[in-house]
Amino acid sequence: MADWQEISGGITAPRGYRSAGIRAGLKSSGLPDLALIVSDVEAIAAGVFTTSHVKAACVDYCRQSLQAKHSARAILCNAGQANAATGHQGWLDALESAMAVAQALNIPSESVLLASTGVIGQRIRMDALKAGIPKLVAELSETGSDAAAGAIVTTDLVTKSIALETMMGDRPVRIGGIAKGSGMIHPNMATMLAFVTCDAAVSPTLWQQMLSRAGDRSFNSITVDGDTSTNDSLIALANGQSRTPAITEMGAEAEKLEAMLTAVCQHLAKAIARDGEGATCLIEVQVTGAQDEQAARQIAKTIAGSSLVKSAIFGRDPNWGRIAAAAGRAGVPFEQENLKIKLGDILLMENGQPLPFDKKAASEYLKQAAQGAYLKEDTVLISVSIGTGSSSGKAWGCDLSYDYVKINAEYTT
Amino acid sequence: MADWQEISGGITAPRGYRSAGIRAGLKSSGLPDLALIVSDVEAIAAGVFTTSHVKAACVDYCRQSLQAKHSARAILCNAGQANAATGHQGWLDALESAMAVAQALNIPSESVLLASTGVIGQRIRMDALKAGIPKLVAELSETGSDAAAGAIVTTDLVTKSIALETMMGDRPVRIGGIAKGSGMIHPNMATMLAFVTCDAAVSPTLWQQMLSRAGDRSFNSITVDGDTSTNDSLIALANGQSRTPAITEMGAEAEKLEAMLTAVCQHLAKAIARDGEGATCLIEVQVTGAQDEQAARQIAKTIAGSSLVKSAIFGRDPNWGRIAAAAGRAGVPFEQENLKIKLGDILLMENGQPLPFDKKAASEYLKQAAQGAYLKEDTVLISVSIGTGSSSGKAWGCDLSYDYVKINAEYTT
């Protein structure tokens, strides 16, 4: 079992981090829209970014920066304008934003990473951003996590934050994270952003590997509506301020750190899926018996992303046929004679054939589970086994409701 | 331009075909549920089937049959029970169905192909099916296309049928087709079936190649909700009864035949997309400037299948950002500086950057196009160019409405 505990403090729970979030006037709503995360010392930095071929300037900027130099001191995030599809001017705006932060913090501009979320095709309101940065720096605080979490959201219903702590030797090591999800009440605001802070000391290569795997097991395993954004970014800093021995290769300590990093990412990813537009519950799909983890995850994600499965869950309809059909079309070969499907603890299909089951009880399970009766969260659990392989994988999604259509259709220009 | 014309008669328009559709008592509703298509002589047969790893017995049966023998005389299709996830008993039911047809027609059972649509996990009502077959054979007629088209549907709102005729030398050659779509008012009825008849003489290998390409350019280029069925089948017969010279290799005649076959398949595929659950219009996406056709089609299909694009079209919202984002995540590399997006004739984005455009006019285009003001059909046209490549591709989908969720969620057990 996990040998860590949840603590308060979000991204400023690890030692040596300060953050802030302010209203800089980027959002027309006047809500907080500019966040800054700063490490007291240069931190090892890793990132995972959108795989889209249409990318925001900040994504290009971070990719280049992290290729040249695997460390950073600060992450600036603006909400309101995505700075995607903004051409060369967008690139210049990104450079200028980084320079403004560097100047205010008196650090090299190469130590500043960037993220944006908001409307695609709109330049950042640079005057407001530049005017806001000194104020933002003045607000930096060791209890500033919530302010930052509140300034990176767009149409999220809730902010997303977590911090975990474990002991390494006799010293605590902490990882904190904040995220925003794919709330798309307004168009073109589908961005998923997550920022993770850690006070362990870890080598750059290892930290990037850990983050890539944790990203696959969390943010890359959730699906709200299958759309990937131009701005998706996961950035993680590790600043060594826990004063624990440096982790430079895989081993017990590294595994412990990676497990905790994965737990932080999964917490944030599930919070994003749960906050999916119009969603009434979280859907967790567990696939076992696969030949490898990626195959298992692929099937899990296909089921969690199926519009038919999602609308059946919204209707609290125990429709195993849609689950079987989604598993079959995931692109992963398996023998259908081995297919087994469970909804909670109720066995619906075994050896590739439907079992007689109490439909009322199964529907009742869905109603109760969606209200949080089983997993402490409002989570519907679908378990699928596809064979005798030893690998498993999970994915998360949300149900598909009338409100999803309403939210996404009723914006009229 | 196309040098063929539309004619009446559906699958019995080509020479030497008869068909029938009857109420055999397979559907609980009492609606027609059993169809038979028969060629007067053994016809060259080709098929394209679901790529799902969970497959119906009829799909396994047809695959095996067409591998052993590239010809057939008859296609039996039942609606009501999918005969998928029915194990060995389902396989025996398929064999027995084929034998019953063979006996009634006095032909070898190897000359009978099968298709099923209906509820996954349910065996075919074999007593009703066997009792129905003699009646079905008695009803076979050269004007039986509509009866067959009406007996293969499940929850489709309309039947789908087409026939085209062209001249080869001084003789007419005809291709007819019927199809059913992915109406899923009841659960587990997502099957897409299409049956094509042709009276040209063509070699088996060439016919299969033509059908595979035509399938890619039609049925494999539509998306209603991304779910692929356990039973999807496209079967085409070519019986040579036009008495035109046999086509045995690619050339002018073969190209003409393939173009007409593709047109038949595209007509049926678009009819299926248009009849998508809750849809209010057809969306056609044209992608040009790609390196190859498959890449173009991949992008087109990703755009047509994007829930965000689909709900924006339902809201008549000219949201180019969602189109750009969907193009970017299709998995096909392109330079975003080359991206160009048009809605009808209205240019929304060029050189990867948004253009100022009249949003009211664009929204008005969507309203008018969805009502059929432009393309003679209720079709919204999205054009995307990704570069200077010479290849293009199309895909079709439908908008995402409240009714989609209603239809798919409000079945309660």
Side-chain angles (χ1 to χ4, degrees), chain B residues 254-276:
Chain B
E255 281 171 22
K256 194 170 176 178
L257 189 70
E258 181 172 340
M260 194 159 81
L261 175 65
T262 304
V264 163
C265 290
Q266 287 184 341
H267 175 93
L268 296 172
K270 287 162 71 173
I272 288 172
R274 175 62 191 83
D275 201 14

Short mmCIF file of all heavy atoms in Angstrom, two decimals, chain B residues 254-276:
data_model
loop_
_atom_site.label_atom_id
_atom_site.label_comp_id
_atom_site.label_asym_id
_atom_site.label_seq_id
_atom_site.Cartn_x
_atom_site.Cartn_y
_atom_site.Cartn_z
N ALA B 254 -12.42 -0.71 -65.92
CA ALA B 254 -12.35 -1.04 -64.49
C ALA B 254 -12.49 0.23 -63.66
O ALA B 254 -13.19 0.25 -62.64
CB ALA B 254 -11.04 -1.75 -64.16
N GLU B 255 -11.82 1.30 -64.09
CA GLU B 255 -11.90 2.56 -63.35
C GLU B 255 -13.32 3.10 -63.32
O GLU B 255 -13.80 3.62 -62.32
CB GLU B 255 -10.95 3.60 -63.94
CG GLU B 255 -9.51 3.36 -63.49
CD GLU B 255 -8.51 4.24 -64.23
OE1 GLU B 255 -8.93 5.30 -64.75
OE2 GLU B 255 -7.33 3.87 -64.28
N LYS B 256 -13.99 2.96 -64.45
CA LYS B 256 -15.37 3.41 -64.54
C LYS B 256 -16.27 2.62 -63.57
O LYS B 256 -17.09 3.19 -62.85
CB LYS B 256 -15.84 3.21 -65.98
CG LYS B 256 -17.12 3.90 -66.36
CD LYS B 256 -17.30 3.79 -67.87
CE LYS B 256 -18.62 4.37 -68.32
NZ LYS B 256 -18.75 4.31 -69.79
N LEU B 257 -16.07 1.29 -63.57
CA LEU B 257 -16.86 0.45 -62.69
C LEU B 257 -16.58 0.79 -61.23
O LEU B 257 -17.49 0.91 -60.41
CB LEU B 257 -16.57 -1.03 -62.96
CG LEU B 257 -17.49 -2.03 -62.26
CD1 LEU B 257 -18.90 -1.97 -62.86
CD2 LEU B 257 -16.94 -3.44 -62.34
N GLU B 258 -15.31 0.96 -60.91
CA GLU B 258 -14.94 1.26 -59.52
C GLU B 258 -15.49 2.62 -59.09
O GLU B 258 -15.95 2.78 -57.95
CB GLU B 258 -13.42 1.24 -59.34
CG GLU B 258 -13.01 1.52 -57.91
CD GLU B 258 -11.52 1.32 -57.64
OE1 GLU B 258 -10.86 0.61 -58.43
OE2 GLU B 258 -11.03 1.87 -56.65
N ALA B 259 -15.44 3.59 -59.99
CA ALA B 259 -15.97 4.92 -59.65
C ALA B 259 -17.47 4.82 -59.35
O ALA B 259 -17.97 5.45 -58.41
CB ALA B 259 -15.71 5.90 -60.79
N MET B 260 -18.18 4.01 -60.15
CA MET B 260 -19.62 3.88 -59.93
C MET B 260 -19.89 3.11 -58.63
O MET B 260 -20.80 3.45 -57.87
CB MET B 260 -20.28 3.20 -61.13
CG MET B 260 -21.79 3.33 -61.13
SD MET B 260 -22.54 3.09 -62.76
CE MET B 260 -22.57 1.31 -62.88
N LEU B 261 -19.08 2.08 -58.37
CA LEU B 261 -19.19 1.33 -57.12
C LEU B 261 -18.96 2.26 -55.92
O LEU B 261 -19.70 2.22 -54.92
CB LEU B 261 -18.17 0.18 -57.11
CG LEU B 261 -18.07 -0.65 -55.83
CD1 LEU B 261 -19.36 -1.42 -55.57
CD2 LEU B 261 -16.88 -1.63 -55.91
N THR B 262 -17.94 3.11 -56.05
CA THR B 262 -17.62 4.06 -54.98
C THR B 262 -18.78 5.04 -54.77
O THR B 262 -19.14 5.35 -53.63
CB THR B 262 -16.33 4.83 -55.30
OG1 THR B 262 -15.28 3.88 -55.53
CG2 THR B 262 -15.93 5.77 -54.17
N ALA B 263 -19.38 5.49 -55.88
CA ALA B 263 -20.50 6.42 -55.78
C ALA B 263 -21.69 5.77 -55.07
O ALA B 263 -22.36 6.41 -54.24
CB ALA B 263 -20.91 6.91 -57.16
N VAL B 264 -21.95 4.50 -55.38
CA VAL B 264 -23.04 3.78 -54.70
C VAL B 264 -22.74 3.69 -53.21
O VAL B 264 -23.60 3.99 -52.35
CB VAL B 264 -23.22 2.36 -55.32
CG1 VAL B 264 -24.03 1.46 -54.39
CG2 VAL B 264 -23.89 2.47 -56.68
N CYS B 265 -21.51 3.31 -52.87
CA CYS B 265 -21.15 3.17 -51.45
C CYS B 265 -21.19 4.52 -50.74
O CYS B 265 -21.64 4.60 -49.59
CB CYS B 265 -19.75 2.54 -51.32
SG CYS B 265 -19.70 0.80 -51.80
N GLN B 266 -20.73 5.58 -51.41
CA GLN B 266 -20.75 6.90 -50.77
C GLN B 266 -22.18 7.39 -50.54
O GLN B 266 -22.49 7.99 -49.51
CB GLN B 266 -19.96 7.93 -51.60
CG GLN B 266 -18.45 7.69 -51.49
CD GLN B 266 -17.64 8.74 -52.22
OE1 GLN B 266 -18.15 9.43 -53.09
NE2 GLN B 266 -16.35 8.83 -51.88
N HIS B 267 -23.05 7.13 -51.51
CA HIS B 267 -24.45 7.52 -51.33
C HIS B 267 -25.03 6.84 -50.08
O HIS B 267 -25.68 7.50 -49.25
CB HIS B 267 -25.28 7.14 -52.56
CG HIS B 267 -26.75 7.40 -52.37
ND1 HIS B 267 -27.36 8.57 -52.75
CD2 HIS B 267 -27.73 6.64 -51.78
CE1 HIS B 267 -28.63 8.53 -52.44
NE2 HIS B 267 -28.89 7.37 -51.84
N LEU B 268 -24.78 5.55 -49.95
CA LEU B 268 -25.33 4.81 -48.81
C LEU B 268 -24.67 5.26 -47.50
O LEU B 268 -25.35 5.41 -46.48
CB LEU B 268 -25.13 3.30 -49.02
CG LEU B 268 -25.88 2.69 -50.22
CD1 LEU B 268 -25.43 1.24 -50.43
CD2 LEU B 268 -27.39 2.75 -50.02
N ALA B 269 -23.37 5.48 -47.55
CA ALA B 269 -22.65 5.88 -46.33
C ALA B 269 -23.13 7.25 -45.85
O ALA B 269 -23.35 7.46 -44.64
CB ALA B 269 -21.15 5.91 -46.59
N LYS B 270 -23.30 8.19 -46.77
CA LYS B 270 -23.78 9.52 -46.38
C LYS B 270 -25.20 9.42 -45.83
O LYS B 270 -25.56 10.14 -44.88
CB LYS B 270 -23.72 10.47 -47.58
CG LYS B 270 -22.30 10.89 -47.91
CD LYS B 270 -22.16 11.45 -49.31
CE LYS B 270 -22.79 12.81 -49.49
NZ LYS B 270 -22.47 13.36 -50.83
N ALA B 271 -26.00 8.53 -46.40
CA ALA B 271 -27.37 8.35 -45.89
C ALA B 271 -27.33 7.83 -44.46
O ALA B 271 -28.16 8.20 -43.62
CB ALA B 271 -28.15 7.40 -46.80
N ILE B 272 -26.37 6.97 -44.17
CA ILE B 272 -26.23 6.45 -42.80
C ILE B 272 -25.81 7.57 -41.85
O ILE B 272 -26.38 7.73 -40.76
CB ILE B 272 -25.22 5.29 -42.76
CG1 ILE B 272 -25.83 4.03 -43.41
CG2 ILE B 272 -24.78 4.99 -41.32
CD1 ILE B 272 -24.85 2.89 -43.59
N ALA B 273 -24.82 8.36 -42.27
CA ALA B 273 -24.36 9.46 -41.40
C ALA B 273 -25.50 10.46 -41.17
O ALA B 273 -25.71 10.93 -40.05
CB ALA B 273 -23.17 10.16 -42.03
N ARG B 274 -26.23 10.77 -42.24
CA ARG B 274 -27.34 11.71 -42.13
C ARG B 274 -28.41 11.22 -41.18
O ARG B 274 -29.08 12.01 -40.51
CB ARG B 274 -27.94 11.97 -43.52
CG ARG B 274 -29.17 12.84 -43.51
CD ARG B 274 -28.85 14.23 -42.97
NE ARG B 274 -30.05 15.02 -42.72
CZ ARG B 274 -30.78 14.94 -41.61
NH1 ARG B 274 -30.45 14.10 -40.64
NH2 ARG B 274 -31.83 15.70 -41.44
N ASP B 275 -28.53 9.88 -41.10
CA ASP B 275 -29.56 9.27 -40.26
C ASP B 275 -29.01 8.98 -38.86
O ASP B 275 -29.63 8.26 -38.09
CB ASP B 275 -30.06 7.99 -40.92
CG ASP B 275 -31.43 7.56 -40.43
OD1 ASP B 275 -32.12 8.37 -39.77
OD2 ASP B 275 -31.82 6.41 -40.68
N GLY B 276 -27.83 9.52 -38.53
CA GLY B 276 -27.25 9.32 -37.20
C GLY B 276 -28.22 9.78 -36.13
O GLY B 276 -29.02 10.69 -36.35
#
